[in-house]
């Protein structure tokens, strides 16, 4: 039998995430998956897991877990204090947690989302090829709650692995390369200049669906509305209040508000760690 984790403290929002559900947008199913994909891969690498093995993604306040047998874990992503039965242990490197001990992942000291990877991965039942929690559609496991028991997979037998790796720090300022379109013509020339010259800030209303912004409103040429059309990861949609919203992994697959531009997927991982108030600049690219 493989190990299990009991959730002692679930935190503000802790979800199971892996590489996500790709290829199902035509069915109305969002991508989901870890918002900080680089942190997912690095944490799994340090344990010898497959790059997309399922982990726990915490939000701001961390979580606490108790394994029923000894396991190796890595806590990465947003920096935070980590303790095993009250004793401080290292963040960002493999740590052994004995059977019955409590792994406490504390609140972030910077950034937003920490990742808890366990050797063997979180082995909840996959749905449409992914174990990820999707907050928009409700597919996959529900966000974890106190008392939940999570099964683990069997640890892989691997050659010697690195015992540490460089982790990128959360951004002090977020720079997002933006390709204009497909509905940039719905906005005034002044709005396009504002978008690529003004400084916005990350709104505290941001979530896994979208990075919401605070800053100058973008003026439309027309007050009409579009029929719903397909939305992609990184689409920058402008709702009626004029403040851009960058679609993240749990975004809807269709929408009627105009998309002024699209941010490349490669630039979105750092957005996962941009705390409320972080300055944002959109740059043509």
């Amino acid at each position: 039998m493989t190990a299990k984790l009991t959730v002692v403290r679930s935190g503000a929002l802790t979800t199971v995430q892996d590489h996500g559900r790709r290829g199902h947008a035509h069915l109305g199913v969002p991508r989901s998956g870890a918002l900080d994909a680089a942190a997912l891969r690095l944490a799994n690498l340090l344990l010898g897991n497959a790059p997309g093995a399922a982990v726990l993604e915490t939000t701001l306040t961390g979580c606490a877990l108790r394994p029923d047998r000894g396991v190796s874990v890595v806590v990465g992503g947003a920096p935070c204090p980590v303790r095993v039965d009250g004793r401080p242990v290292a963040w960002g490197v493999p740590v052994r947690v004995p059977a019955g001990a409590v792994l406490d992942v504390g609140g972030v000291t910077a950034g937003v989302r920490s990742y808890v990877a366990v050797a063997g991965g979180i082995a909840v039942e996959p749905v449409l090829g992914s174990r990820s929690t999707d907050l928009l559609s409700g597919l996959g496991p529900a966000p974890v709650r106190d008392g939940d028991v999570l099964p683990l997979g069997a640890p892989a037998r691997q050659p010697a692995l690195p015992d540490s790796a460089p982790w990128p720090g959360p951004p002090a300022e977020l720079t997002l390369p933006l390709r204009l379109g497909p509905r940039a013509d719905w906005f005034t020339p002044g709005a396009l200049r504002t978008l690529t010259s003004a400084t916005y800030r990350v709104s505290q209303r941001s979530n896994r669906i979208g990075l919401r912004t605070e800053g100058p409103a973008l003026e439309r040429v027309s007050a009409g509305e579009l029929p719903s059309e397909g939305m992609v990861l990184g689409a920058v949609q402008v709702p009626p209040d004029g403040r851009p919203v960058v679609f993240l992994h749990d975004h809807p697959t269709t929408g009627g508000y105009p998309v002024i531009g699209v941010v490349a997927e490669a630039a979105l991982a750092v957005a996962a760690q941009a705390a409320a108030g972080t300055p944002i600049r959109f740059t043509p690219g």
Side-chain angles (χ1 to χ4, degrees), residues 1-5 67-71 118-119 121 123 149-155:
M1 292 180 63
T2 56
K4 297 179 181 178
L5 295 176
D68 67 349
R69 62 191 65 190
V71 294
V118 186
V149 177
L150 304 173
L152 300 178

Side-chain angles (χ1 to χ4, degrees), residues 6 14-15 26 35 39 69 82 90 92 98 102 114 132-133 135 144 160 166 173 198 205 222 244 259 264:
T6 297
T14 299
T15 59
H26 65 293
L35 292 192
R69 62 191 65 190
V82 184
V102 174
S114 298
S132 290
T133 301
L135 297 180
V144 302
E173 179 177 277
R205 297 185 298 118
S222 169
V259 172

Side-chain angles (χ1 to χ4, degrees), residues 171-213:
E173 179 177 277
L174 197 56
T175 301
L176 298 177
L178 181 75
R179 177 172 293 183
L180 290 176
R183 301 298 178 187
D185 58 350
W186 276 56
F187 297 87
T188 66
L192 300 179
R193 288 193 297 271
T194 295
L195 180 63
T196 55
S197 62
T199 298
Y200 288 83
R201 292 190 180 275
V202 176
S203 167
Q204 64 181 357
R205 297 185 298 118
S206 299
N207 54 27
R208 285 185 47 86
I209 295 170
L211 184 77
R212 295 184 176 274
T213 66

Side-chain angles (χ1 to χ4, degrees), residues 5 44 47 49 53-55 65 71-74 116-122 152:
L5 295 176
N44 279 323
L47 292 170
N49 291 343
V55 304
L65 311 162
V71 294
S72 294
V73 305
V74 169
V116 185
V118 186
I122 307 295
L152 300 178

